[in-house]
């Protein structure tokens, strides 16, 4: 795990900003219900399936649970980007790919 020495306050600010941006971007997508509360972003599909993206303050990561998988994203450049600790995958690209698969159509998300 690499948090690049980011302070707790800077982590919280960056994570909250990222989750709010994701909420806005996902809210524009047809077929999704999106709710952000207390650092937990829930994405619900018309079939009742839920994906969760949340700020994990103790680990200073953003976590995502979807498709029977979990990702842990570390902040880079002070929270300007987030990359998975396992394979380096970028948060926005991963969210876009996972949601596109579930929806059966390509979606594009802009931070």
């Amino acid at each position: 795990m690499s948090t690049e020495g980011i302070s707790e306050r800077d982590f919280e600010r960056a994570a909250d900003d990222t989750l709010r941006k994701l909420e806005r971007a996902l809210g524009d997508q047809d077929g999704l219900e999106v709710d952000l509360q207390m650092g937990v972003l829930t994405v619900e599909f018309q079939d009742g399936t839920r994906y969760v993206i949340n700020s994990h303050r103790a680990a200073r990561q953003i976590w995502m649970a979807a498709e029977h998988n979990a990702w842990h994203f570390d902040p880079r450049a002070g929270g300007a980007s987030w990359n998975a600790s396992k394979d380096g995958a970028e948060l926005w690209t991963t969210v876009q790919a996972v949601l596109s698969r579930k929806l059966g159509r390509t979606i594009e998300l802009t931070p």
Side-chain angles (χ1 to χ4, degrees):
M1 171 188 356
S2 169
T3 59
E4 293 186 354
I6 190 170
S7 73
E8 185 174 346
R9 188 174 113 208
D10 288 343
F11 166 79
E12 288 180 9
R13 184 178 301 129
D16 289 345
D17 183 54
T18 298
L19 291 173
R20 280 193 306 275
K21 286 178 181 176
L22 276 169
E23 177 189 31
R24 283 192 299 272
L26 294 173
D28 291 339
Q29 299 296 320
D30 290 333
L32 300 177
E33 288 293 325
V34 182
D35 182 48
L36 176 61
Q37 291 187 32
M38 299 179 62
V40 178
L41 179 64
T42 304
V43 181
E44 187 169 350
F45 298 87
Q46 291 176 342
D47 67 2
T49 300
R50 290 185 182 157
Y51 292 175
V52 177
I53 305 166
N54 68 287
S55 170
H56 193 287
R57 282 160 173 61
R60 291 194 187 156
Q61 293 177 319
I62 289 180
W63 288 8
M64 180 170 74
E67 299 180 334
H68 303 289
N69 290 301
W71 292 261
H72 301 149
F73 297 93
D74 294 314
R76 300 285 189 256
S81 68
W82 299 84
N83 295 90
S85 54
K86 281 186 185 177
D87 61 7
E90 195 276 328
L91 172 66
W92 285 80
T93 303
T94 303
V95 171
Q96 185 173 282
V98 167
L99 294 179
S100 291
R101 279 193 297 272
K102 175 65 177 161
L103 291 168
R105 61 182 164 82
T106 302
I107 64 166
E108 292 188 29
L109 302 176
T110 305

